[in-house]
Amino acid sequence: MVTETRPTQTRTISAGADSSPAKPVGTFLYPSAASLVERAIRNNEASLSESGALVVDTGVHTGRSPKDKYVVDEGAAHESTWWGEVNHHLDPIQFATLRTDVLAHLDSKETIEIDLRAGADPAYSMPVHLRTEFAWAALFARNLFLPPTDHPALAPFTILHAPTFDADPARHGTRSSTVIALSLETQTIVIAGTRYGGEIKKSIFSTLQYLLPQQGVGTMHCSANRNQAGDVAIFFGLSGTGKTTLSTDGDRILIGDDEHGWNDNGVFNFEGGCYAKVINLSQTAEPGIWDASHRFGTVLENVVMDPEARKIDLDDASKTENTRAAFPITYIPDSAADGRGGHPTNIIFLTADAFGVLPPVSKLTPEQAHDWYLAGYTSKLAGTEKGVTEPQATFSACFGAAFLPLPPVRYAELLDKRIAEHKPSLWLVNTGWTGGKYGVGHRISIAHTRAIIRAILAGRLDKVELETESIFGLHLPVQVPDVPKELLKPWLGWPNYGAYERTAMQLAQDFRKAIG
């Protein structure tokens, strides 16, 4: 592992035709968190909270901008990319112009460069070089990725991060002034016109999701943990469904909270940190994430803070529902130092059902798991994307369509293969609403969801009697320790069964359309 004692270099750029002095450009191979915090505060990029966390305001972009995500239409990407609403075409010539213009923009500013790595398995590690105009963004990346290694397995990718550069649609071929563009041929990612840190993280995830399936590695939008005996569980789900919260619970060892690969040896984390949603975070219910969010070195995005007392308010959603904490995974007690685990014994699909008709837990057959994975039903929760202000029912292939550069069936086939080989138990867990749809019913409590997860991971549901409901064909446990029996059958919480049935049948119809 490379330590923080790597040398710091300084270079200058030309002052240009005018007489202004040359601006220093810091080139750091692996700067310390403290140096980046100091730099961010000195440059008025961020503020320090009373607990030591760095508080950042990302402006108008408080979530991802999926309509501004592009893949450069070049080489092998032309035939292999899943073109459409997720991956938009960008002309290679216009990308070259964009890249040149962004480099000129960065050359005119004080920037930071940092070497990082994605992929905890040495056989599939990828160097990541970030050049950014913001010290807080370098700290964000330092928290989320792994330290560099001297022997990477994959070719390096460079991120040119220019939040204050506005793309020109006429010149650069973009939809707006915001652009997140991936060029597989030049191994370059350009992020411009947005300060939202999640774009850095997800651009590398998308890159790995293009490269690794070609080597037979399943790539997954999921969290993962293991117990002391090494039994691994993975949790699929879109942002806000509980991946981080549920995988950091209890006495299990966290492998990773969001992005993993599954190869012949087991699962491995792509990252070295966590990017947790912290709105309404409870110190009692989620102590690990709470403590991590109040530590020096953590980056808090769009969290409201009292300007005088410097106390943060995690219940204040006045900026966005999508408040975030980015911190090293080591801030979570009992996290896995190696970021790796064996083959899963349990696979859990998390969904936040805004219609309130899915049971809190059901056991799936491999065929059902294939369908639920391809459909990726959940609800987009407020703030995870720009313009989303309340939960919306959605189908997102592989529980992460926004990050799939290849057709979804490629990822489903890889998952099917691993399931057939290792035969894990398969579960659908609803962390959304019950007793009615959003606005009528109520969200299933974290306490009950945690009781369900603990029962699954302890094997207490393996031999419990199952009851098959008639609309989705799901297999419901008739009892779960510490969970009311009436909660297990969602129709019992509705005041009118007919309303439940109509709503459930409509969702089932939409589900069938989603899987074709």
Side-chain angles (χ1 to χ4, degrees):
M1 178 179 292
V2 180
T3 68
E4 294 179 5
T5 59
R6 289 190 129 190
T8 296
Q9 303 171 348
T10 301
R11 60 188 176 89
T12 61
I13 62 172
S14 171
D18 61 27
S19 59
S20 59
K23 297 178 182 179
V25 179
T27 303
F28 303 93
L29 296 182
Y30 195 55
S32 68
S35 68
L36 293 173
V37 169
E38 287 180 344
R39 194 180 184 100
I41 294 172
R42 183 174 68 245
N43 293 344
N44 295 316
E45 301 172 9
S47 301
L48 198 65
S49 71
E50 58 149 3
S51 64
L54 197 66
V55 181
V56 176
D57 190 326
T58 64
V60 297
H61 293 87
T62 58
R64 291 181 292 104
S65 299
K67 293 181 180 179
D68 298 305
K69 177 185 173 186
Y70 299 87
V71 175
V72 181
D73 193 351
E74 59 190 348
H78 176 75
E79 295 294 335
S80 57
T81 300
W82 182 38
W83 300 111
E85 294 183 4
V86 171
N87 301 294
H88 304 98
H89 295 261
L90 188 61
D91 179 80
I93 295 175
Q94 289 181 305
F95 174 77
T97 302
L98 172 68
R99 182 175 180 273
T100 298
D101 290 350
V102 167
L103 280 170
H105 172 83
L106 292 174
D107 284 345
S108 71
K109 294 182 174 294
E110 183 181 87
T111 63
I112 294 175
E113 298 184 36
I114 179 170
D115 289 329
L116 300 160
R117 171 175 52 103
D121 188 328
Y124 300 98
S125 65
M126 185 180 79
V128 175
H129 182 78
L130 173 70
R131 185 179 181 191
T132 178
E133 52 189 306
F134 288 141
W136 79 260
L139 178 60
F140 174 95
R142 189 186 188 281
N143 286 348
L144 266 295
F145 296 111
L146 295 158
T149 180
D150 293 331
H151 302 288
L154 303 177
F157 269 72
T158 295
I159 302 175
L160 302 177
H161 186 243
T164 66
F165 177 88
D166 288 335
D168 179 351
R171 178 175 172 82
H172 302 126
T174 60
R175 183 189 70 93
S176 71
S177 60
T178 299
V179 57
I180 304 96
L182 166 63
S183 169
L184 293 156
E185 291 285 298
T186 67
Q187 297 160 208
T188 304
I189 297 162
V190 171
I191 301 173
T194 172
R195 298 175 185 241
Y196 182 63
E199 302 289 12
I200 298 173
K201 164 189 167 68
K202 291 303 186 186
S203 65
I204 292 299
F205 184 37
S206 294
T207 302
L208 291 172
Q209 292 227 88
Y210 183 90
L211 298 173
L212 293 185
Q214 299 178 54
Q215 300 187 38
V217 177
T219 55
M220 306 174 294
H221 186 214
C222 70
S223 60
N225 65 22
R226 67 184 190 228
N227 64 11
Q228 296 295 336
D231 291 335
V232 171
I234 59 178
F235 302 76
F236 285 99
L238 287 174
S239 176
T241 55
K243 295 191 306 299
T244 302
T245 296
L246 296 172
S247 56
T248 56
D249 183 40
D251 57 359
R252 294 178 67 87
I253 300 167
L254 179 67
I255 298 171
D257 83 317
D258 197 43
E259 303 168 3
H260 292 82
W262 189 354
N263 60 19
D264 291 340
N265 298 318
V267 301
F268 62 98
N269 192 4
F270 289 165
E271 300 181 306
C274 299
Y275 192 40
K277 195 170 183 180
V278 294
I279 192 67
N280 299 320
L281 190 70
S282 166
Q283 186 175 13
T284 301
E286 300 164 280
I289 302 173
W290 173 278
D291 290 343
S293 299
H294 289 77
R295 285 187 61 171
F296 178 83
T298 291
V299 175
L300 298 176
E301 284 187 317
N302 302 310
V303 169
V304 174
M305 179 180 71
D306 183 290
E308 297 299 327
R310 298 299 180 96
K311 185 176 180 62
I312 60 175
D313 184 355
L314 298 182
D315 295 325
D316 191 330
S318 58
K319 291 184 179 180
T320 177
E321 290 275 349
N322 192 36
T323 53
R324 294 277 180 167
F327 51 83
I329 196 172
T330 53
Y331 283 13
I332 297 292
D334 298 322
S335 57
D338 60 356
R340 301 170 69 179
H343 299 291
T345 54
N346 286 283
I347 295 178
I348 300 167
F349 299 119
L350 299 172
T351 181
D353 173 30
F355 289 134
V357 296
L358 290 181
V361 58
S362 50
K363 193 168 188 178
L364 304 176
T365 65
E367 295 75 20
Q368 287 176 319
H370 173 91
D371 289 346
W372 282 94
Y373 185 60
L374 267 183
Y377 169 66
T378 191
S379 302
K380 281 181 186 174
L381 299 185
T384 55
E385 289 183 9
K386 187 178 178 182
V388 178
T389 58
E390 64 180 42
Q392 299 175 0
T394 187
F395 293 91
S396 182
C398 308
F399 293 97
F403 322 122
L404 303 182
L406 304 175
V409 67
R410 290 284 302 276
Y411 306 97
E413 288 171 351
L414 287 166
L415 184 63
D416 290 346
K417 178 177 181 289
R418 298 296 179 186
I419 288 173
E421 289 173 345
H422 303 288
K423 298 178 172 53
S425 295
L426 307 166
W427 307 89
L428 177 68
V429 172
N430 175 24
T431 64
W433 282 258
T434 189
K437 64 181 181 178
Y438 171 78
V440 177
H442 61 275
R443 193 149 191 190
I444 297 169
S445 72
I446 290 178
H448 287 147
T449 299
R450 280 196 165 134
I452 289 167
I453 297 298
R454 288 168 180 162
I456 289 173
L457 299 184
R460 297 192 192 103
L461 303 187
D462 288 344
K463 296 183 180 180
V464 168
E465 179 185 351
L466 301 174
E467 177 180 324
T468 303
E469 56 85 42
S470 60
I471 297 177
F472 297 94
L474 296 171
H475 309 296
L476 284 55
V478 299
Q479 60 181 9
V480 177
D482 301 318
V483 178
K485 286 188 176 182
E486 59 271 18
L487 185 65
L488 301 176
K489 299 177 180 180
W491 55 88
L492 295 179
W494 282 61
N496 183 308
Y497 179 80
Y500 162 83
E501 185 177 44
R502 287 190 297 273
T503 305
M505 291 181 69
Q506 180 61 56
L507 178 58
Q509 181 178 335
D510 293 342
F511 178 86
R512 286 189 290 270
K513 288 180 181 178
I515 61 176

